[in-house]
Amino acid sequence: ALMQIVNEALQFLSMSAKLSLYTALGCLRALIPKGVLPRKSVVGDVCLITGAGSGIGRLMAIEFAKRGCTLVLWDVNTVGNEETARLVAAEGAKCHTYTIDLSSRDAINRTAATVLSDVGRVDILINNAGIVTGKKIFDCSDELMEKTMAVNTNACLFTAKNFVKGMLERDHGHVVTVASIAGKVGTAGLVDYCASKHGAVGFHESLSSELRAQGSNVKTTLVCPFFIDTGMFDGVQSTSVFLPVLSPSYVVECVMEAVLTNRDEIQIPKFLYTTTLLANMLPSEAKHVLSEYYGVYDTMETFKGRSK
């Protein structure tokens, strides 16, 4: 019994030391400016981006093209996707485009099989596609709520099932989930969107856990930004100087830094680390005070969204 107590005490001390070390390292990495840490090479990798036809999906495609990747572009918007392909080709990169409805499991499975036949593999999977209704729950149709969950959450599951197995076999790859800070905290007027992004965060954290449990070298990065000025959240207004509506180029800079330095998770802007930490620690009434202060209840009141 004494030896068991001693062993458990030693294990606890070892765990505490590791916990302190990795917490300190994580905080340090979060504060280090972009461009300081060494970046890995992705030359020759095949990078698949969903929602590549516009917004940060297009900008990421261009950045990965500059770094020597072959691009696989998925989007429901054929015209936008082909324009992204033109911009990628201008960087001298190979490119494959596919028109796909990411709310359909069958379409994802079918298109994934075609990609593996056409290209052979996927090394970097970026689940970026997302939709938002911007309606309060009682004003939103059942069909739109189901589609939000399908595109923002379910598509992550089915792309992973199709492409991560190959990464595991090669012991090489990277899965990026572009979620949202709405996947960490709830926001009034975004019930279905927040639910879907909580699902994306849960998917990503669980997948990361499975990969780590297998001792895999496949990397993962979770991206949780505030509102981005891409048109998707047109009309949204932030009432806090600490939480500005973000420019797409800045978000993509942060994403590229995170992926190329193998960051597990980033929140954009960095001030969000403070708010999410408090949100996880505070009781409900205190969280409501914080939400009122940062305008969480009012930001969607002026929402317009992307025009058709």
Side-chain angles (χ1 to χ4, degrees), residues 68-90:
C69 287
T70 294
L71 273 299
V72 177
L73 310 178
W74 282 16
D75 205 291
V76 70
N77 181 351
T78 303
V79 174
N81 212 28
E82 292 301 330
E83 173 61 17
T84 302
R86 185 189 68 78
L87 296 170
V88 164

Side-chain angles (χ1 to χ4, degrees), residues 48-50 125-129 155-157 159-160 175-179 203:
L48 188 155
I49 303 175
T50 68
L125 170 62
I126 303 180
N127 280 309
N128 165 71
C156 297
L157 297 168
T159 56
V175 180
V176 182
T177 306
V178 181
F203 149 79

Side-chain angles (χ1 to χ4, degrees), residues 125-154:
L125 170 62
I126 303 180
N127 280 309
N128 165 71
I131 61 173
V132 59
T133 62
K135 299 177 183 292
K136 291 182 171 61
I137 187 169
F138 299 113
D139 298 326
C140 189
S141 69
D142 295 350
E143 291 77 14
L144 276 176
M145 286 194 290
E146 288 182 337
K147 189 166 187 176
T148 298
M149 295 300 298
V151 173
N152 296 359
T153 308
N154 297 351

Side-chain angles (χ1 to χ4, degrees), residues 174-275:
H174 204 131
V175 180
V176 182
T177 306
V178 181
S180 168
I181 201 60
K184 297 282 190 176
V185 295
T187 302
L190 284 173
V191 173
D192 58 338
Y193 183 80
C194 287
S196 70
K197 290 302 185 178
H198 272 72
V201 170
F203 149 79
H204 187 91
E205 291 180 348
S206 298
L207 176 65
S208 300
S209 180
E210 286 194 12
L211 294 173
R212 185 177 291 272
Q214 296 179 53
S216 172
N217 283 317
V218 176
K219 307 300 182 183
T220 60
T221 298
L222 175 65
V223 181
C224 292
F226 190 60
F227 295 120
I228 308 172
D229 186 17
T230 60
M232 184 173 170
F233 280 99
D234 186 38
V236 165
Q237 294 181 351
S238 175
T239 59
S240 172
V241 295
F242 298 107
L243 294 173
V245 176
L246 302 167
S247 74
S249 59
Y250 174 70
V251 172
V252 171
E253 284 181 19
C254 294
V255 172
M256 295 304 299
E257 173 78 4
V259 173
L260 297 177
T261 60
N262 291 328
R263 284 280 301 279
D264 296 323
E265 177 180 340
I266 56 168
Q267 296 179 19
I268 314 169
K270 292 180 180 180
F271 181 73
L272 287 174
Y273 291 116
T274 303
T275 57

